[in-house]
Amino acid sequence: MSSVAEGKRIRIRGTVQGVGFRPWVYRVAQQSGVRGRVWNDASGVTIDAFGDGPTLRAFEAALHDSPPPAARIAGFECSAIPVEPLRAFVIEQSASAAEHLVSIPPDLATCDDCVKDIFDPANRRYRYPFTNCTNCGPRFTIATDAPYDRAATTMAPFEMCGPCRHEYEDVLDRRFHAQPTACPVCGPQLELVWTGKDDGTPSADAIGEAAAALRRGLIVAVKGIGGFHLACDATSEPAVRRLRERKHRDAKPLAVMVPTLDAASELAVVTPVHRDLLTSPERPIVLMEKRPGGGLAEAVAPRNGQLGLMLPYSPLHHLLLADAGCPLVMTSGNLSDEPIAFTNDDARLRLGAIADVLLLHDREIHTRCDDSVATVVAGGPLLVRRSRGYVPRAVSVRTPFAAPVLATGALLKNTFCLASGTQAFLGPHIGDLENLETYDSFTTAIERFQRFVGIRPELVACDLHPDYLSTRYAEQRPERVIRVQHHHAHVVSAMAEHGLDGRVIGIAYDGTGYGTDGTSWGGEILVATHARFERLASFRPIALVGGDAAVREPWRGALALLLDAHDGELPDAAERLMRSVSAAEREQMRQLILRGVHVSRARGVGRYFDAFGALFLDRRRAAFEGQVALEWNQVADRTSRRTYPFTIDERQPLMELDLRSAVRAAVDDASRGVPAAVIAAAFHNTLAAATSAVVLRVMDATGPLPVVASGGCFQNAMLAEGIREALTGVDVRLHAQVPPGDGGIALGQAVAANAIAKIS
Ligand code: ZN
Ligand code: ZN
Ligand code: FE
């Protein structure tokens, strides 16, 4: 044996816990002949390595080259340490207090090796739907307590058989310390229930039978990783329509699961960035441009140029898709507006009337976690919904939290955030906090998450809106409460994601948020720090009659827009454009608006999208919030450079973006037969030009500052890219890992509240 010449400490940061990292380091050490130790600590994994110079260099290189599939190395630091006379390399138990913060990993999609196992007739896990290893499998959703260990998961009742135990204890095995490992002999089992029959006759081939039902056009509720899906043949028009009817889901697009990347490419345009998202261990639903003639039922995503696809992420999915032989609609297992079902009892009760077949199993899901949703904006990935696969991984922030914080989020698409030190943990997608079921799931998830990430908040942040259930919840808590204005929180969320802690210009465009003056804001340009903001510009308000009804009936906003642009009179074009609205209705609405009856003044950029879309596509109603806005975005001709005139009204203290001249120009265009695609493009281009003009004007006063863009409107790639293009030479930051919509707002609330608490 050569003499020990050197010692090195290697600190690795990133996603390196719960992904088989330490066993992998151990194996690399064995192969390289390095002695020492590896352990988890609060920020990642640390290795003390001893060996001669060349051996250590080879070891380091190997660590760099081939990390485990689900690991993400964010930082790699080496320093020299005194040599210790060790004889072996060991995995050390971690100091549990230090490990607590990051101990529960997110759920990981089935790895390639496990997929091989389940399709190999010679393997003892052939067709076993609960196969997993250290590189893959459920984590967060089965954890019942922290730290992450089999006894603290819903796998605790399953006692490992001899062969499984052997793999679990063999450091050279892929299943070494894979907490949920199991096999057909010792692990969970499937159960197939026909909802029409009351006898639960066990099926010898539950997957085969469920697949046959799917091929016959039936609806199957499938217990997945974070909850139930409702599945049906995505190529069958009647099956998809029946699913929509039974689920009471009007027109919202349904997600589709396809077996392979090739199958995805047949249905949608898959760029390399989309491909990376689709195949990532997080396996989100990825929104892509639909390919015409792909063979899917029109009812999957009616009047929608986009398609949400995902690849299988559990062995059960792989087997079911292989047996079914067709792409499957896989939509969340709930009635519209309710939280997703995740227990067998819940599924029998709530999904029994929707599904013909329930594909159940006896591995409990402890924490419900919806599928995540991703898209591509400005050539990079953007999370629209950050949930399964990402939760509970922390977002690192630059400014440490002075005290642990809980931020309770907004009303719609709620997520909350628990933060401490430099780590912010965004919770799973909760949904719209508008009914008791969702509220219960919100409070339960917060209590559980506090335990999982080991954070006891001393400060609670919430929205300024007094009526949000998330605000009311915050105020019931004993801790000090700090309210953060909605658009300020959006802007700070983007700042936190990009490690910006100075002054920025923030563009916050969404549907609505409660302003400091008690009115509804939604198209805001701020100069902001974490603690403070100044509102410098907003959009000229649209007079909406009837509050929520106006969101469902965007023709009301369209009419208001026309009236405002034409001095209170309806132009002749109104009749031609708004055929779905009778002359009497138009006149009645005109009177209400002019007299100010039930009128609220909306400044949301989302409302402008609704109103323009309703006017030039003649859409009277929206089946769901934002449907018309989405359509108005999708019809836009991406190649058109057309823009309309606009005015920036430099009133004090608030500049106003005035689009009345753009409305008149668009009406002229429509009268001359210019296609809606070109008008929609001009609308986008005008918004980008107007936004950049205001930002540059603000910068005249402030000097150069970084610009951040946040709010739900920045899921719109054309708008985001247009603004970035219009602001050439300016540092414009868009979201990536944190959703720009209200699903990402809790991070901004937490960071802002921390800063506000320091100065007040
Ligand atoms: Zn695996
Ligand atoms: Zn076993
Ligand atoms: Fe918002």
Side-chain angles (χ1 to χ4, degrees), residues 124-125 159-165 167 181-187:
R124 71 188 190 93
R125 289 188 175 83
E159 196 170 333
M160 277 184 233
C161 67
C164 283
R165 167 71 54 192
E167 292 165 343
T181 191
C183 77
V185 174
C186 65

Side-chain angles (χ1 to χ4, degrees), residues 625-676:
E625 192 189 351
Q627 185 194 24
V628 174
L630 188 68
E631 208 184 344
W632 188 234
N633 167 232
Q634 291 183 355
V635 300
D637 174 357
R638 312 248 149 176
T639 61
S640 170
R641 294 271 137 206
R642 192 171 184 77
T643 56
Y644 295 137
F646 58 87
T647 316
I648 297 170
D649 185 352
E650 295 236 28
R651 62 178 66 191
Q652 290 301 326
L654 188 66
M655 275 191 266
E656 236 172 45
L657 278 84
D658 180 346
L659 297 184
R660 281 178 297 175
S661 49
V663 173
R664 290 191 293 269
V667 169
D668 284 350
D669 267 359
S671 304
R672 290 187 295 110
V674 173

Side-chain angles (χ1 to χ4, degrees), residues 23 100 115 288 296 301 323 342 378 399 502 518 530 629-630:
H100 200 66
V115 173
M288 291 171 293
L296 288 192
D323 282 12
F342 70 108
T399 323
H530 287 178
L630 188 68

Side-chain angles (χ1 to χ4, degrees), residues 410 463 468 486-487 490 509-513 711-712 740-743 745:
D463 198 272
Y468 281 3
H486 190 91
H487 301 94
H490 271 309
Y509 287 176
D510 63 4
T512 182
D742 287 1
I745 208 166

